[in-house]
Amino acid sequence: MSRVDNRPERRSGTIADGELSALLEGRHRDPFAVLGPHQDGGALVVRACVPGAQAVTLTDLQGTPLTDMTALHHAGVFSGRLAAGTPGYQLRVRWPDGSEQLSHDPYAFGLLLGELDLHLIAEGRHFELGACLGAQWRRIDGVEGVRFAVWAPNARRVSVIGDFNGWQPARHPMRLRHPGGIWELFIPAAMGARPGCRYKFDLLDPHGAELPDKADPLALATEPPPATASVVTEPQVSAPPFPWQDHDWLRLRNAVEPYAAPLSIYEVHAGSWLRTANDPAHGWEILADRLIPYVCELGFTHIELLPVTEHPFGGSWGYQPLSLYAPTARLGPPQAFAAFIDRCHRSGIGVILDWVPAHFPTDPHGLAHFDGTALYEHQDPREGFHQDWNTLIYNLGRNEVRGFLLAGALHWLEHFHVDGLRVDAVASMLYRDYSRGAGQWVPNRFGGRENLEAVAFLRELNSVVHERCPGALTIAEESTAWPGVTASAASGGLGFDFKWNMGWMHDTLRYLSLDPIHRAWHHQDMTFGTVYAWSEAFVLPLSHDEVVHGKGSMIGKAPGDDWQRFAGLRAYYGFMWAHPGKKLLFMGGELAQWQEWNHDAELDWALLDHPMHRGVHTLVRDLNALYRELPALHELDHSPTGFQWVVGDDHQNSVFAWLRRPAPGSGDVVLAVANMTPVPRHGYRIGVPFAGCWRERLNTDAACYGGSNVGNDGALMAEAVPAHGQEASLSLTLPPLGMLLLQHAGAQA
C-alpha cells in the first residue's frame, strides 16, 4: 500500500514544562505535536528528544552543520531553529563516550500508512498484513529505515524500544492514527534500526499504567526462546533476496485434483526428529540434508510439520504460538525455512503446516491484554479462556482479530509457498460449550451452542485460501459429527479440503490393542469406518497425539509377544493403506519405536540396525510405493464406487476382504485381505470379479519385512467358482496377522 504524503498539522510556539516531563517519562500521547519540525513565524523550530545525549546539532542533508540545538531539559530534550525554506535537515547526536550519530529525524516524516491500509485493517480484509504492520524495512523519501506499526487502539501511548535506542521508551514514541488505533513510526537506519535488530513495544494502558513490554504480534522473526524479543528481518522472503526455484512444483500442484491424487503424509516435530536440528543457525539446513532424502526414500508425498510458528514453551510442541507470522528461531532464520520448503518442492515433496487459530498462551509479552484491554481475546472468561489448556481464545467477532488470523494463514501459503494448512482444534472453535459445564459458557444469539463467529471465520478462511492460493490444501482436525466440514462454504459447509477421521483412528487402534482371541467380538471396530467413509473427504491420521501422554508407541499398542506385535503392526499398516482415505503417519511409527514420543529426545535411529524394525520401515516404503502406483488405492477415495466389501462379516476368523477400484479405464482392481489373528488360514476362498491371474503385490508377512513368509507364491489364478456374490474366486493362504494386496493382472470385464 502507498504511503500518504501529507504532513500532520504542526504546532508552533514554545513547549510547556509538563510536555517536557511527559516526553522524558514516555507518557506523551502525541509526540509529533511537539517533536520534529514546526513552523514558528518565519522560521522552522525543530525539537528532538534524545535522552542521554551530550549535544545535538542540526545539519543539512549532506551532514554540514547548520546550528547547535539548545537543551530545553538536561535529561535530553533539544530545540533549534532553521531558516524558512530549508530543504531538509539531519540530527547529529554526540554521546558521552565521544561517538556521534548522524541521521534523519524520525519525527520529520509524514503519515506512513495509507487510508486504504487503515480501512482494510478495520474491515478485517487486509490480506497482506505481514507487509503492512510490524517492522518493515523500507525506503521513505529516499531514506532507508524501518517502518514500525502496531494495532493498539486503547493504549494511551506506544513506543518502539530496541537495540537501536537502548530500550528507552522516551526515545521513540509513536504516532496514533485515528480512528483505526494503529500506531506508526519510521526510524532511519542511521539510528541503528536495520535488519537483525531486536525490538519490542512499550505501552501504557488506557489509564496510563505501564504494561509488560510486548513482542510484535506481526513479527516476521524472533530471537530464540526463552528470549522474547522480535527481530527486524530482510524484505519478504517471497521477493529478492530469496531465489525461489520451485516454479515447476507450484504449476503442477495447482493442476492436481486433490481427491483423486495420492496423499501420504509424514508428520514431523522438527526439533525431535533429529536433535542436531535444534540449531538456530543451521537447523533447517540440517533437516533439508537429512529429512528430505529420508521422506523421498520412504515415498511419502508430503511432510506435515507440527506448528513452526514461534512459541514460548517448547513443551507445547508449537500448539501454543505467540508469533503467528514468524518461523521459530529455534531452527534458523526465515530465509532458511524458505530454503527448506524450496528444497522440498524441488525434491517432489509438499509441505503442510499445522496452524493454530483456536487459542494463544497468556505469556505477559504476548497478545494477552495487549493494550491494557481484552483486545485479541474475549473479555468474558466464559468465552475467552480455554480451561483445558489455560489459554486465551481469539475474539473472532472482531474484524481486526479475524483479519490478523486470515492474513497470517495467507502469509505461510503465499510468502513461504507452503502447500497446505492443517487447522488445529477445530472442534474447540465450533462449540461454545466445548469442554465446559453448565453455566460456564455463553449461548449464541439464538440460544444455541454453535460458535457462529468461528463458523463464519472458517468459511471465510477456506474461501480466501482457495481463491488466492490455487492448489493449497486446508485440513481440519475436527473430532465431532459437525456436518459438512469438507462441503463447500457456498453449500453451507465449512469449506475444508479434508478432515482428519478421528473416529476411524480411535476404533481401529482400539481393535489393534485387543488380544486376537477377543477380536471376534469387536469386528465392527474395523468395518464401521466404511459406513461414513464418504460423508467427508477424510485423512486417516496416526498422529503425534496417539503416541504421547501414556498412550504408548504404535508397536506398544499391539498385544502378544514381540513376533505378534511386529506382525500385528505390519498388518494394521497394510489395512490402513488399503482403506479409503488419505494417509498420515507420525514420525517414529515407521521404525516401530518402542518408546512413546518424547519431544526432548530424537527418534531411536539405532533401531534400524535390527531386522524386525528395519522390516517395518521397508514395509512403509513399499506401501507408499504401491499406494502411489496403483490408481485403485487412491483415485476414488472420495466415492463409494471405489470400494466394495467382499468379506466383512467373518467375525469368527477376524478376516476382512474388500475390493478397491480405480476410475474407469485407469488401472486394475485390487483385492485387500486381512487376517487379524495369529492363525494361518489355508484354502480360504474369496470371491473376485474377474477370472485370470491375480498378482500378490504385497504380503506384510513376507520375510523381507520380518515375517514368516506364509503366502501365495507371488500369484494365483482365479477359479470359476462363485463366492461372495462374485462370479470367480481365489483359494488363498492367509498369513498369520497378515495383510495381502492382490492386483488383477488380466483385462477387466
Side-chain angles (χ1 to χ4, degrees):
M1 300 297 171
S2 61
R3 184 178 64 84
V4 175
D5 242 346
N6 61 301
R7 309 259 178 190
E9 188 176 325
R10 302 292 190 179
R11 191 176 66 188
S12 62
T14 60
I15 179 171
D17 289 342
E19 290 194 295
L20 285 175
S21 299
L23 281 172
L24 290 164
E25 294 168 9
R27 293 184 291 102
H28 204 290
R29 300 187 66 171
D30 187 10
F32 276 80
V34 180
L35 301 178
H38 299 260
Q39 292 293 334
D40 185 17
L44 199 65
V45 174
V46 178
R47 304 188 190 93
C49 183
V50 196
Q54 188 176 69
V56 182
T57 299
L58 288 170
T59 78
D60 63 17
L61 295 178
Q62 287 70 46
T64 304
L66 298 176
T67 183
D68 291 334
M69 301 184 78
T70 302
L72 299 181
H73 194 287
H74 65 86
V77 180
F78 297 85
S79 179
R81 298 177 72 85
L82 296 173
T86 300
Y89 68 91
Q90 295 191 80
L91 303 174
R92 186 185 300 278
V93 179
R94 185 165 67 251
W95 300 100
D97 63 2
S99 63
E100 291 189 346
Q101 182 183 64
L102 178 66
S103 171
H104 287 79
D105 183 359
Y107 297 92
F109 292 88
L111 303 178
L112 303 175
L113 297 183
E115 293 299 327
L116 180 57
D117 285 310
L118 299 179
H119 172 76
L120 291 174
I121 292 170
E123 290 289 314
R125 299 285 295 175
H126 199 309
F127 296 142
E128 297 182 6
L129 210 58
C132 177
L133 300 183
Q136 305 292 334
W137 179 250
R138 291 286 187 271
R139 179 182 292 272
I140 297 178
D141 294 343
V143 179
E144 287 189 327
V146 181
R147 185 189 72 195
F148 294 94
V150 63
W151 179 56
N154 303 303
R156 178 170 289 190
R157 189 268 299 144
V158 181
S159 291
V160 184
I161 55 176
D163 293 331
F164 41 83
N165 61 18
W167 301 86
Q168 299 178 69
R171 285 282 302 279
H172 291 120
M174 305 175 78
R175 167 172 50 212
L176 175 62
R177 299 292 301 278
H178 295 286
I182 305 295
W183 300 76
E184 63 179 18
L185 187 68
F186 178 72
I187 303 179
M191 284 192 165
R194 58 181 63 251
C197 286
R198 299 174 303 156
Y199 71 99
K200 282 187 175 181
F201 295 112
D202 183 279
L203 299 91
L204 301 181
D205 75 8
H207 308 291
E210 187 78 24
L211 291 169
D213 294 342
K214 295 289 189 178
D216 182 1
L218 273 293
L220 301 180
T222 69
E223 58 181 339
T228 59
S230 305
V231 175
V232 179
T233 69
E234 298 285 350
Q236 293 280 333
V237 296
S238 60
F242 187 80
W244 288 100
Q245 300 177 52
D246 62 349
H247 314 294
D248 290 341
W249 166 269
L250 293 177
R251 185 176 63 255
L252 292 172
R253 184 198 76 178
N254 296 351
V256 168
E257 204 287 303
Y259 302 117
L263 179 63
S264 182
I265 303 167
Y266 186 62
E267 190 190 25
V268 175
H269 178 258
S272 60
W273 187 80
L274 197 69
R275 290 300 291 173
T276 54
N278 288 289
D279 180 348
H282 303 291
W284 289 116
E285 295 174 24
I286 293 170
L287 286 168
D289 290 339
R290 298 285 297 277
L291 176 60
I292 295 173
Y294 181 80
V295 171
C296 289
E297 175 196 356
L298 284 176
F300 288 97
T301 65
H302 288 69
I303 295 169
E304 180 174 323
L305 295 169
L306 271 62
V308 300
T309 43
E310 191 58 272
H311 47 284
F313 175 50
S316 76
W317 315 328
Y319 289 103
Q320 293 191 14
L322 273 181
S323 297
L324 288 188
Y325 290 69
T328 178
R330 294 171 175 87
L331 300 170
Q335 289 81 359
F337 178 60
F340 171 80
I341 294 174
D342 193 58
R343 283 185 63 179
C344 284
H345 288 172
R346 288 187 285 121
S347 301
I349 300 296
V351 180
I352 298 168
L353 297 188
D354 282 9
W355 184 65
V356 188
H359 62 132
F360 59 91
T362 60
D363 297 66
H365 71 279
L367 301 178
H369 226 58
F370 187 80
D371 64 357
T373 68
L375 189 64
Y376 286 88
E377 69 271 34
H378 293 272
Q379 178 68 38
D380 190 334
R382 294 177 299 169
E383 296 182 280
F385 185 74
H386 202 298
Q387 300 175 126
D388 288 355
W389 303 314
N390 293 320
T391 52
L392 298 172
I393 300 170
Y394 287 105
N395 182 356
L396 296 175
R398 188 162 196 165
N399 287 346
E400 295 90 344
V401 175
R402 191 179 69 252
F404 167 76
L405 292 171
L406 289 171
L410 292 171
H411 178 71
W412 300 101
L413 297 168
E414 295 182 337
H415 295 293
F416 285 105
H417 294 197
V418 165
D419 302 288
L421 300 174
R422 198 278 290 184
V423 182
D424 184 63
V426 170
S428 75
M429 301 174 68
L430 292 175
Y431 298 96
R432 287 176 164 266
D433 63 345
Y434 183 89
S435 197
R436 296 179 186 272
Q440 296 179 332
W441 59 284
V442 179
N444 63 34
R445 63 181 181 271
F446 302 112
R449 57 195 287 257
E450 299 82 6
N451 189 324
L452 304 180
E453 294 80 10
V455 171
F457 166 75
L458 293 171
R459 287 173 175 164
E460 184 177 13
L461 167 72
N462 289 310
S463 296
V464 169
V465 165
H466 292 134
E467 177 184 349
R468 292 178 61 104
C469 308
L473 302 176
T474 59
I475 304 170
E477 184 208 21
E478 204 286 312
S479 55
T480 75
W482 185 281
V485 172
T486 58
S488 70
S491 65
L494 297 182
F496 285 94
D497 293 295
F498 294 100
K499 169 182 171 173
W500 274 17
N501 193 335
M502 310 294 280
W504 176 91
M505 177 270 297
H506 287 301
D507 289 347
T508 59
L509 286 182
R510 181 170 57 241
Y511 185 91
L512 174 66
S513 68
L514 294 171
D515 188 298
I517 199 170
H518 301 303
R519 288 177 176 172
W521 288 272
H522 299 273
H523 201 75
Q524 71 282 356
D525 282 347
M526 298 292 269
T527 60
F528 184 65
T530 58
V531 173
Y532 60 89
W534 303 281
S535 62
E536 303 276 6
F538 282 120
V539 171
L540 309 181
L542 298 179
S543 76
H544 64 280
D545 279 328
E546 310 319 314
V547 291
V548 289
H549 302 320
K551 296 178 184 176
S553 64
M554 286 303 300
I555 195 167
K557 300 177 192 302
D561 59 24
D562 284 357
W563 188 93
Q564 290 189 4
R565 287 186 164 194
F566 279 99
L569 182 63
R570 294 193 305 265
Y572 179 78
Y573 284 166
F575 183 94
M576 172 182 174
W577 257 258
H579 194 282
K582 309 308 182 185
K583 324 300 175 188
L584 180 141
L585 182 66
F586 183 59
M587 65 183 201
E590 79 282 9
L591 305 178
Q593 186 165 291
W594 289 110
Q595 300 298 319
E596 71 175 21
W597 173 51
N598 176 5
H599 70 272
D600 287 326
E602 71 178 17
L603 298 185
D604 193 354
W605 293 108
L607 292 175
L608 288 177
D609 295 331
H610 299 271
M612 297 296 282
H613 294 277
R614 172 62 72 173
V616 175
H617 183 271
T618 302
L619 173 67
V620 171
R621 181 200 67 189
D622 291 351
L623 283 169
N624 274 328
L626 276 180
Y627 173 65
R628 298 175 75 162
E629 174 193 343
L630 300 177
L633 294 181
H634 61 256
E635 207 167 52
L636 292 180
D637 267 341
H638 62 295
S639 170
T641 61
F643 177 91
Q644 181 183 359
W645 277 116
V646 179
V647 179
D649 57 356
D650 190 355
H651 300 71
Q652 182 176 357
N653 293 309
S654 297
V655 170
F656 308 84
W658 64 93
L659 296 169
R660 295 297 308 274
R661 299 177 186 273
S666 66
D668 298 321
V669 173
V670 171
L671 173 68
V673 187
N675 174 18
M676 301 305 286
T677 70
V679 179
R681 306 196 183 279
H682 300 281
Y684 193 100
R685 187 163 296 278
I686 295 180
V688 290
F690 309 120
C693 180
W694 289 77
R695 294 173 56 202
E696 191 176 73
R697 296 299 308 274
L698 183 131
N699 178 350
T700 65
D701 191 50
C704 62
Y705 306 136
S708 58
N709 225 25
V710 173
N712 298 276
D713 297 324
L716 67 168
M717 299 295 293
E719 300 172 302
V721 177
H724 304 114
Q726 306 291 333
E727 295 182 0
S729 61
L730 297 169
S731 179
L732 291 169
T733 295
L734 306 186
L737 291 172
M739 177 81 195
L740 301 176
L741 288 178
L742 298 104
Q743 176 187 3
H744 182 240
Q748 293 190 29

